[in-house]
Amino acid sequence: QSVLTQPPSVSAAPGQKVTISCSGSSSNIGNNYVSWYQQLPGTAPKLLIYENNKRPSGIPDRFSGSKSGTSATLGITGLQTGDEADYYCGTWDSSLRGVFGGGTKLTVL
Amino acid sequence: QVQLVQSGAEVKKPGASVKVSCKASGYTFTSYDINWVRQATGQGLEWMGWMNPNSGNTGYAQKFQGRVTMTRNTSISTAYMELSSLRSEDTAVYYCARGHRSYDYVWGSYRPNWFDPWGQGTLVTVSS
């Protein structure tokens, strides 16, 4: 069981919008920044969002992040078939140990 | 460009140890943490620990305390992760990732934050 809770899967049609939730507690998300990672099949994870809502250069503005209290959300608009991947949220606990969500598989129908 | 290149796949017997390397390029090796994350087949990401290449200080997940050792050779910008007493459940892809810290005004200190980039991964198979 992962420390952070994500839905196992989400799906939507091309061009639509999807959100992926990440639920934690005051000992992790509540007091630390959240980052999001995209893992395409057979590849290493790639940073999508850092410090809750910032996008690294090269990440399109179709991807967005937010945090409220002990939960965070990743939003993806204008879905493309190339967005099909596993998405993970990550943060730190009160002992500064890294924690991840269990991952969410995005299917673009 | 910033890059982390890991060593190749390993096959080990139960009880043995494995040492995975992670060579950094494109940035000052001692300026960023190196974190290690593993992923069993079909499973999620599991954080193992971090190392500060400048000081050599480390922090390990409780699950791996006593079995994992993270070290570095600054002269060749390479980090290492050694896992001992291997068992079948340790079969996984092991990733290194550059760790970024940011200043937290609430805590008054630099705290670990995001991982970018990641190495390509090293498959470690533990089988008799």
Side-chain angles (χ1 to χ4, degrees), chain A residues 1-2 5 17-18 20 25 31 33 37 42-43 48 50 52 61 65-67 77 80 82 85 88-89 95 101 106:
Chain A
Q1 272 74 3
S2 301
T5 301
K17 174 183 176 179
V18 72
I20 298 173
S25 69
N31 281 287
Y33 286 118
Y37 304 89
T43 69
L48 271 185
Y50 67 100
N52 302 334
D61 59 7
S66 64
K67 173 184 147 179
T77 59
Q80 302 173 0
Y88 293 90
C89 58
S95 300
L106 170 62

Side-chain angles (χ1 to χ4, degrees), chain A residues 32-33 37 39 92 97, chain B residues 39 47 60 102 111 113 115:
Chain A
N32 290 285
Y33 286 118
Y37 304 89
Q39 187 175 35
W92 301 83
R97 302 294 185 251
Chain B
Q39 184 175 38
W47 183 82
Y60 302 141
S102 55
R111 289 165 67 82
N113 208 325
F115 306 134

Side-chain angles (χ1 to χ4, degrees), chain B residues 59-81:
Chain B
Y60 302 141
Q62 193 164 3
K63 174 176 180 177
F64 301 102
Q65 288 273 6
R67 277 212 305 147
V68 71
T69 304
M70 296 178 187
T71 57
R72 86 291 190 208
N73 182 334
T74 56
S75 67
I76 55 172
S77 299
T78 300
Y80 303 93
M81 186 282 300

Side-chain angles (χ1 to χ4, degrees), chain B residues 31-58:
Chain B
S31 295
Y32 295 84
D33 296 342
I34 293 289
N35 287 257
W36 291 88
V37 177
R38 78 177 186 180
Q39 184 175 38
T41 302
Q43 302 300 308
L45 303 175
E46 182 175 32
W47 183 82
M48 299 181 68
W50 63 267
M51 181 196 61
N52 181 317
N54 185 46
S55 64
N57 289 344
T58 56

Side-chain angles (χ1 to χ4, degrees), chain B residues 92-125:
Chain B
V93 176
Y94 289 76
Y95 295 101
C96 61
R98 186 176 72 162
H100 295 247
R101 289 180 177 256
S102 55
Y103 191 79
D104 189 313
Y105 289 92
V106 173
W107 294 93
S109 64
Y110 282 91
R111 289 165 67 82
N113 208 325
W114 68 96
F115 306 134
D116 181 56
W118 296 58
Q120 84 276 19
T122 296
L123 175 61
V124 175
T125 303

